[in-house]
Amino acid sequence: MSFPPSKVTYKPLLHPAEHPAYRYSGFHPGRVTTLRKGHVKQPGYQAFPVDVTWEQDSAIPMRDGIKLYADIFRPTHGDKVPAIIPYSPYGKVDSGVQSYDMMGPYRMGIPFQRLSGYETFEGPNPAEWAERGYAVVDIDARGAGHSEGNIAFWGQQEAEDIYDSITWVSQQPWCNGSVVLAGNSWLSIAQTNFVSRFTHPALKAIAPWEGLSDPYMQQTCRGGIPNAFFNEMIVRGFGGLGNVEDVASMLREHPLYDEYWESKKIDTTKMSDIPAYFTASYSTGLHSEGSFEGFRAASTSKKWLRVHNSQEWHDLYAVAANDDLQRFFDFYAKGIQNGWEEDTPRVRLTLLGFEGSPAKSIIERAEEQWPPARLYTERYFLDAATKSLTSCRPQNSSRSVHEGHSLTDSSDFKLVFPEYTELCGQPFVKLFMSAPSHDDLDVVVQIRKLSASGDLLESLNWSPMPLPAPKVPNVNVAKHLGPQGMLRASHRVSIMPRSSEDDVPSYNHRSRQPISMGEIVELMVPVWPIGVVYEAGEGLLLRISGHDMSLPEIEALKPREPRDENRGQHIVHTGGEYDSYLVLPRIALGERGGFSIKDDFNTDDAQIIDLCDDVEEGIQSLLKREPVEPSNPFDIPIFITEAKASIKTEPESQSEPVSSPWKSGMQLVQFRATAEQVADDYLKENKIKLHSSRKRLSTIRDPNAYRRGQEDSSKLEIRRPVLD
């Protein structure tokens, strides 16, 4: 879907030569330079490992007659090579204002030696990729630098420009006819925006390394709450000869989701069968949801996802990451049979351990899909009386109050995990809330990890970090606090239908309806993806406030005062008729990361007792039911043994299996676990302490060995000795 350019609001750009922060080195169409092996742009940067030909400001014609300009870096010697296109408005070499020195502390851990100084911001290093046998074509997007036209935020026009660029690049005499797309952030979004609208015979693969798929819902107006501060900062860094789309003004003109925002949506369900290498992480407040969702929804059968544990720029230039990307590109752009499709897991999943926790991060564990197939959800009810999350709905109602227009106030609820736990997927929260002083309210929820002693933990975005976590600057590129979700209450009426209460809620944001002052309303708040491991005794904190609680992406975006439109107090209602709860996606584990139990686990099964009601009544009603065949997945014989069994002198026929009220073994497991929790709560409430003893293990570890043991034992002759 396209939106008429005549209806878009633009603002003028500063000429690159006049921009106070632009690193402008002039316009040099037709200039060709050979960067010899060993060339170093400035001390500390990577030396070129091979001779590279640098063609500056090469003109690329578009279908409407305008020209885009590109810098081409290609190996000087050797055969024809594939081309990598990083497409963005950030500026080619020696231009633009973004740099890793100014965008975060300690250069995000990127060594100077990993960069040559010739790469476009968030794009591949041309010196490195020339040695790997690729050309890099850095294109200034329409309107950027000396490229003609106006800068647009993605959409149909950008996709058409990329199509024409691929055509031109693939026809150059040094190109082998194969083109791939690569890059992070805007450069990633440009890739999925293109392949969701077009196919091109010369495009062999894409590598969208962290982006988004819906600018309104995932960045500019999450949960219906306007926030264009990041967009405005980005726009201030652009330089060009024309204008730039004024997203902040368009948000004011189009506060609800309409045809303008629809034209920006990147629908990866419409992708062709293009090979795609996605990356994602939990650390970015800009791209996490879009990266995971873009992969999940992508219709191509040739897609891979690598979830890493670092900051996206740090990962972009990591040696191992580039080695892996080369293997992917080599397979599709060069036809090298390196086993990529056979050997590479479809998903490599990372779960974060957090600093100061005994839980160790899980790094790129092989999975079949995201979210993992063996996920199940657990529901925890908010209890304002105890400021906790419990598995049973509180019988009595209570409430928690916090100031809505504040950068510090919140309502907090704690949960402790009694066993090792892995959370992965997308949580959500159901809240009953009211605002006595206003006809609307913004609610923001955040999930923080707690240590066993109750301390809030942080996850550092790369290692080694020069300082301990508390001393690392509080910006999101350096450290991660936990996933967030948000919703403006007036947008609750735009919720989309769900097939199950366990489905993550979503909104179309096409309508709004104010609330009445003091009215208690139900709010379903989706939270961005989580991936965290917990050791026994650790837990989480669900924090509810009226403001964005994530760290700013960079220091310049840190709010000095609340930016929301809240007024007065916000009240969270829990218990009784207000079943406020948190839904967590958990990975089903056997022996700490083993087999799946999902197929044998159904919380809706009628035979599972609701232990939050009367336990004795539930047990009695269960025992009165008709017996069912017991679950026996290993096909191991079940024997009845008597209390005074004697040794048999002759083999006897096998006893009939005992009838069981349990439909499956997993039902019994859940019953026992829930009963233990109820008992533990009772003992704790009444301050009763029991002596602990070592628990005997009765689990059959190896069913095959068990069967062999049964067969061998049947061959033994054990006879009662005859007494005189």
Side-chain angles (χ1 to χ4, degrees), residues 381 386-390 412-416 450 453-455 539-542:
F381 294 90
T386 60
K387 299 186 182 301
S388 65
L389 293 156
T390 67
D412 297 346
F413 301 84
K414 295 182 179 180
L415 171 67
V416 175
L450 293 174
S453 59
D455 297 324
L540 62 78
L541 180 81
L542 175 66

Side-chain angles (χ1 to χ4, degrees), residues 511-533:
S511 60
R512 65 180 301 273
Q513 183 181 84
I515 63 176
S516 300
M517 291 186 184
E519 177 189 4
I520 300 175
V521 293
E522 177 183 311
L523 304 175
M524 304 291 290
V525 186
V527 180
W528 276 23
I530 190 171
V532 182
V533 292

Side-chain angles (χ1 to χ4, degrees), residues 13-27 57 69 71 88-99 102 120-121 139-147 151 233-242:
L13 289 166
L14 287 175
H15 190 285
E18 300 171 357
H19 196 296
Y22 218 75
R23 296 168 294 166
Y24 184 65
S25 58
F27 183 49
D57 293 313
Y69 290 93
D71 279 4
S88 87
Y90 290 139
K92 306 189 302 299
V93 60
D94 289 329
S95 63
V97 303
Q98 289 82 10
S99 76
M102 60 169 284
T120 189
F121 182 64
I139 302 175
D140 269 346
R142 177 180 291 247
H146 283 272
S147 289
I151 297 178
M233 182 196 73
I234 291 296
V235 166
R236 287 195 296 270
F238 291 155
L241 308 182

Side-chain angles (χ1 to χ4, degrees), residues 582-654:
L582 166 67
V583 173
L584 292 175
R586 293 184 63 166
I587 294 180
L589 303 173
E591 289 294 317
R592 191 161 178 150
F595 57 84
S596 167
I597 63 172
K598 184 174 182 181
D599 292 339
D600 203 26
F601 185 86
N602 184 0
T603 56
D604 294 329
D605 197 301
Q607 292 225 16
I608 295 180
I609 299 174
D610 184 357
L611 290 178
C612 297
D613 296 328
D614 188 272
V615 178
E616 183 63 29
E617 180 182 343
I619 293 175
Q620 293 301 323
S621 64
L622 178 64
L623 294 177
K624 293 177 182 178
R625 293 180 181 153
E626 291 295 322
V628 295
E629 193 69 22
S631 174
N632 194 5
F634 299 132
D635 196 28
I636 297 172
I638 300 175
F639 297 90
I640 297 177
T641 57
E642 298 178 355
K644 297 182 180 180
S646 60
I647 299 176
K648 306 295 182 180
T649 58
E650 297 293 337
E652 292 189 357
S653 60
Q654 181 176 310

Side-chain angles (χ1 to χ4, degrees), residues 290-325:
S291 300
F292 282 106
E293 178 59 20
F295 168 80
R296 188 202 63 79
S299 56
T300 175
S301 64
K302 300 175 182 178
K303 62 179 180 179
W304 288 265
L305 172 66
R306 180 173 58 83
V307 184
H308 61 87
N309 67 328
S310 62
Q311 196 272 341
E312 56 192 46
W313 300 327
H314 182 90
D315 179 76
L316 179 67
Y317 296 110
V319 175
N322 281 268
D323 288 345
D324 201 51
L325 181 59

Side-chain angles (χ1 to χ4, degrees), residues 251-294:
L251 179 59
R252 289 189 290 270
E253 296 172 22
H254 301 264
L256 295 177
Y257 202 87
D258 59 10
E259 63 274 11
Y260 170 72
W261 296 108
E262 185 73 29
S263 72
K264 303 295 182 184
K265 182 179 179 180
I266 299 166
D267 188 357
T268 57
T269 64
K270 297 180 180 179
M271 283 176 59
S272 63
D273 210 29
I274 185 78
Y277 180 166
F278 290 83
T279 66
S281 69
Y282 311 102
S283 63
T284 168
L286 299 173
H287 303 139
S288 283
E289 184 181 38
S291 300
F292 282 106
E293 178 59 20

